[in-house]
Amino acid sequence: MSTDSKVTKDLIQTCRDGQEGFANAAEKLTSDGRDDLANRFHEFSHQRADFAAELEKLAAEYGEDDSKSSSAAAAIHRGWMSVKDAMSGSDPAGVLDAAEQGEDHAKSEYAKALEEDLSPSLKAVVQRQYSAVQSAHDTVRDLRDAQAA
């Protein structure tokens, strides 16, 4: 498996985890009457779905047809999935804190990917997506901090 293929596969899973994590957080925030926050999290969920689709298109170019698969053991180590349970029973501030932890993981995965020897085309996509992930992280952190104030 080439470096581009491996990195792409890992980032697809990171994006899918983020997509699901943001969607779960949005549901929890909606049930807490925080539609303002839920709407933002739905936007982030859609963003991650778009990122995954873009990466899946690249994976198909590498000849990968199992880009959506991931072992259960690997999923346990993913940031968003490890904070999923932290959201149940949490108030909005707790949900935002869990979301920031998930985003810390996403940032780490993208930073790690950028350290690899990537093709110029993949590197450009990863760098662009990483910038958006950093922005989403900062937004979530700021929302969390505003809830705590």
Side-chain angles (χ1 to χ4, degrees):
M1 180 180 290
S2 72
T3 300
D4 279 10
S5 181
K6 181 185 177 318
V7 166
T8 303
K9 188 173 185 172
D10 289 348
L11 289 179
I12 289 168
Q13 189 59 49
T14 297
C15 290
R16 291 291 176 207
D17 291 344
Q19 176 188 359
E20 183 178 340
F22 276 122
N24 289 337
E27 287 177 28
K28 174 69 174 128
L29 290 165
T30 296
S31 72
D32 290 342
R34 293 304 309 265
D35 289 336
D36 56 328
L37 298 173
N39 291 335
R40 187 62 184 220
F41 276 46
H42 280 299
E43 291 171 12
F44 289 141
S45 178
H46 292 299
Q47 175 194 63
R48 297 308 158 83
D50 292 344
F51 287 175
E54 181 178 24
L55 292 166
E56 286 168 353
K57 183 178 176 189
L58 290 173
E61 292 173 11
Y62 308 139
E64 296 292 320
D65 60 0
D66 62 346
S67 59
K68 292 183 185 179
S69 69
S70 176
S71 71
I76 291 171
H77 299 291
R78 305 282 182 194
W80 262 107
M81 302 318 292
S82 67
V83 299
K84 181 178 178 182
D85 290 339
M87 285 190 277
S88 57
S90 292
D91 61 4
V95 172
L96 291 165
D97 188 54
E100 189 201 4
Q101 291 174 38
E103 286 301 276
D104 285 342
H105 177 75
K107 280 177 36 180
S108 172
E109 290 296 305
Y110 271 88
K112 187 169 64 174
L114 286 170
E115 293 173 3
E116 297 290 338
D117 184 22
L118 303 176
S119 66
S121 59
L122 178 59
K123 188 169 192 108
V125 170
V126 172
Q127 184 61 58
R128 179 177 40 78
Q129 289 186 359
Y130 181 48
S131 293
V133 167
Q134 287 177 306
S135 178
H137 169 274
D138 293 350
T139 298
V140 170
R141 180 200 61 219
D142 293 347
L143 290 168
R144 184 210 55 207
D145 291 350
Q147 289 296 305

